[in-house]
């Protein structure tokens, strides 16, 4: 199944092609949905349209504590008679007449007859008379949001595919949605392979290590809106790999995507490729010109029910697994969950310090970015892609393009956000 190395962009394109093919399929898989309460909708992907149930704001709203008035009158700085009071939640009784102001609070409806609000801080009082302090003037419409200026009843405010964050929850609440229809989380099977691995709760022998990839990938899957299904570790034996892969494609697991880690390099006990091949896998790429993560493979198996089961075989080294998850698996998982958020996410930052190295591969170097008005990113010294301690000190990866042999101090670099 070995094929030539693709560039990072070519490999990303393969993932995008797969996503498009899924969407364009003659009968695209029916995406199951579920109903959740607004309180537990954060992080989910909306599966219905959210529409305004009434005009927003539903009345002309004062944005200040102050005095509703006629702007032309207030702008002459004449004393105007205080003829009414409006608190938030109160409905105006009657209209504002010429020569009047009404005291009004932020969020209260502006009475008919008023076309502006001047701020209490800009007012002068004389018993029951108020004026706008000279030399201030007031424009019509100032400090008022007209009814329907934000949305009209029936307007589409959120489309299916929106990831529900705080702002989306707020607008759904404003429109009276106490339940929302959301996409079911994609189920992602996670299979770590390696003779040397013991589970977290196990006691490693002198040459064994704990399986950290499964919990790490489960956390990545959860953070990306998926549901992890962590399978027991499989040792480097053909029969066991065949058995577990057969299990994953059967209806027993009903996974939407499979992540395998380890066993895909050129070592004598790297048996994953062979097992996938025996299971009838179709390979879209096997190796990408990136570091870490070069051996990463992407392909598809067919589930017992005939549905495609996309898989990524990720290199065993933990940082390689994490980087390749972010670059390739996360975008596909998002698409499987109907999430329209574009992934992976990149940003620009200035490099603190310089970098020198060999060109040829797109590199992803663990780094810490101080996100501020001028984001500055610092590389974290590391011992290579197995150095989880360095990884745990990072909050992003600096991306070095394949043609670069150096980046100077203060140079602008792309960072991969994690
Ligand atoms: P492999 O891709 O199987 O050749 O593994 C590459 C390196 O990653 C080796 O040093 C493995 O011990 C390590 N490794 C593989 N799988 C895991 C895992 N699940 N958790 C932590 N380290 C792993
Ligand atoms: Mg291995």
């Amino acid at each position: 199944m070995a094929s030539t190395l693709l560039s990072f962009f070519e490999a990303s394109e393969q993932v995008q092609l797969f996503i498009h093919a899924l969407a364009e399929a003659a009968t695209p898989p029916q995406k199951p949905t579920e109903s959740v309460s607004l309180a537990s909708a954060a992080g989910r992907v909306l599966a219905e349209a959210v529409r305004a149930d009434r005009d927003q704001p539903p009345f002309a709203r004062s944005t200040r504590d102050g005095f509703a008035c006629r702007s032309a009158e207030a702008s002459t700085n004449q004393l105007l008679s205080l003829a009414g009071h409006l608190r938030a939640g109160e409905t105006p009784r009657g209209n504002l007449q010429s020569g009047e102001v009404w005291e009004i609070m932020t969020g209260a409806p502006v009475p008919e007859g008023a076309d502006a609000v001047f701020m209490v801080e800009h007012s002068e009082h004389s018993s029951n008379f108020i004026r706008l302090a000279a030399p201030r003037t007031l424009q019509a419409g100032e400090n008022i949001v007209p009814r329907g200026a934000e949305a009209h009843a029936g307007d589409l405010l959120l489309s299916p595919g929106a990831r529900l964050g705080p702002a989306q929850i707020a607008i759904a609440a404003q429109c009276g949605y106490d339940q929302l229809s959301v996409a079911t989380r994609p189920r992602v099977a996670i299979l770590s392979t390696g003779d040397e691995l013991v589970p977290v709760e196990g006691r490693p022998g002198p040459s064994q290590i704990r399986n950290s990839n499964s919990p790490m990938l489960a956390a990545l899957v959860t953070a990306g809106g998926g549901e992890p299904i962590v399978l027991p570790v499989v040792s480097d034996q053909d029969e066991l790999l065949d058995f577990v892969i057969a299990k994953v494609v059967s209806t027993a697991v009903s996974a939407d995507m499979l992540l395998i880690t380890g066993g895909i390099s050129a070592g004598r006990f790297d048996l994953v490729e062979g097992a996938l091949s025996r299971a009838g896998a179709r390979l879209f790429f096997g190796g990408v010109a990136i570091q870490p993560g070069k051996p990463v493979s992407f392909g598809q198996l067919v589930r017992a029910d005939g549905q495609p089961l996309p898989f990524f075989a990720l290199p065993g080294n933990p940082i390689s697994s994490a980087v390749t998850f972010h670059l390739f698996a996360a975008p596909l998982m998002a698409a499987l969950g109907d999430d329209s958020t574009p992934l992976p996410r990149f940003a620009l930052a200035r490099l603190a310090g310089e970098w020198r190295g060999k060109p040829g591969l797109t590199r992803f170097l663990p780094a810490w970015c101080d996100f501020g008005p001028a984001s500055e990113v610092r590389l974290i010294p590391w011992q290579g892609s197995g150095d989880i301690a360095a990884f745990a000190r990072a909050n992003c990866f600096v991306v070095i393009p394949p043609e670069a042999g150096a980046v100077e101090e203060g140079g602008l670099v792309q960072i991969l956000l994690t």
Side-chain angles (χ1 to χ4, degrees), residues 49-182:
V50 166
R51 293 181 181 279
D53 64 328
R54 54 181 184 156
D55 289 349
Q56 290 297 348
F59 46 81
R61 178 179 66 209
S62 174
T63 62
R64 302 287 186 187
D65 294 326
F67 297 93
C69 62
R70 299 187 175 181
S71 56
E73 291 178 356
S75 294
T76 65
N77 309 110
Q78 62 183 298
L79 283 169
L80 298 162
S81 91
L82 179 58
H85 304 269
L86 282 167
R87 306 154 65 119
E90 210 177 352
T91 303
R93 285 183 297 272
N95 298 351
L96 179 138
Q97 307 295 327
S98 173
E100 290 180 358
V101 292
W102 289 27
E103 188 190 28
I104 192 165
M105 305 302 153
T106 302
V110 176
E112 290 286 339
D115 68 354
V117 169
F118 61 86
M119 291 163 64
V120 68
E121 295 89 332
H122 298 166
S123 66
E124 287 173 353
H125 298 229
S126 166
S127 66
N128 239 18
F129 291 87
I130 313 284
R131 68 165 154 240
L132 174 63
R136 291 183 187 278
T137 58
L138 199 62
Q139 302 287 321
E142 221 170 303
N143 299 324
I144 296 176
V145 180
R147 174 178 176 155
E150 295 161 1
H152 287 112
D155 279 357
L156 178 66
L157 297 178
L158 297 174
S159 301
R163 186 101 188 248
L164 296 166
Q168 292 72 30
I169 303 264
I171 194 66
Q174 194 179 50
C175 297
Y177 289 75
D178 60 339
Q179 299 276 318
L180 285 170
S181 170
V182 297

Side-chain angles (χ1 to χ4, degrees), residues 193-194 196 236 262-263 270:
T193 72
E196 72 280 33
D236 297 313
D270 287 327

Side-chain angles (χ1 to χ4, degrees), residues 91-309:
T91 303
R93 285 183 297 272
N95 298 351
L96 179 138
Q97 307 295 327
S98 173
E100 290 180 358
V101 292
W102 289 27
E103 188 190 28
I104 192 165
M105 305 302 153
T106 302
V110 176
E112 290 286 339
D115 68 354
V117 169
F118 61 86
M119 291 163 64
V120 68
E121 295 89 332
H122 298 166
S123 66
E124 287 173 353
H125 298 229
S126 166
S127 66
N128 239 18
F129 291 87
I130 313 284
R131 68 165 154 240
L132 174 63
R136 291 183 187 278
T137 58
L138 199 62
Q139 302 287 321
E142 221 170 303
N143 299 324
I144 296 176
V145 180
R147 174 178 176 155
E150 295 161 1
H152 287 112
D155 279 357
L156 178 66
L157 297 178
L158 297 174
S159 301
R163 186 101 188 248
L164 296 166
Q168 292 72 30
I169 303 264
I171 194 66
Q174 194 179 50
C175 297
Y177 289 75
D178 60 339
Q179 299 276 318
L180 285 170
S181 170
V182 297
T184 304
R185 291 190 171 95
R187 289 166 57 84
V188 180
I190 296 168
L191 175 60
S192 286
T193 72
D195 285 338
E196 72 280 33
L197 302 178
V198 298
V200 186
E201 62 278 10
R203 178 191 273 270
S207 302
Q208 291 182 308
I209 60 167
R210 295 195 179 90
N211 168 20
S212 59
N213 281 349
S214 294
M216 176 188 74
L217 288 169
L220 285 167
V221 165
T222 303
E227 184 187 330
I229 308 162
V230 177
L231 303 168
V233 168
V234 173
S235 57
D236 297 313
Q237 293 177 57
D238 281 330
E239 314 74 62
L240 280 177
L241 284 168
D242 289 345
F243 175 79
V244 174
I245 291 172
K247 196 103 190 147
V248 174
V249 297
S250 78
T251 47
V253 175
S254 76
D256 300 304
M257 182 166 119
L258 167 64
L259 301 174
I260 306 184
T261 82
I264 57 161
S265 308
R268 200 149 61 79
F269 297 100
D270 287 327
L271 309 174
V272 166
E273 219 180 85
L276 287 167
S277 176
R278 283 191 298 281
R282 184 171 156 211
L283 201 65
F284 304 122
F285 61 73
V288 183
I290 56 173
Q291 191 193 53
K294 195 161 84 173
V296 60
S297 304
F298 170 42
Q300 100 173 29
L301 291 157
V302 177
R303 282 190 340 202
D305 62 3
Q307 290 298 327
L309 176 67

Side-chain angles (χ1 to χ4, degrees), residues 8 12 16 163 220 223-224 323 325-328 330-331 334 339-348 364 371 395-399 413-418:
F8 166 53
S12 298
Q16 291 306 322
R163 186 101 188 248
L220 285 167
V323 164
F325 177 89
H326 283 296
L327 296 179
F328 307 116
D339 185 348
S340 56
T341 312
L343 291 175
R345 297 182 307 142
F346 294 99
L348 286 174
F364 298 88
F371 293 98
N395 68 353
C396 67
F397 291 91
V398 164
V399 186
V413 289
Q414 274 205 319
I415 56 174
L416 169 67
L417 302 176
T418 55

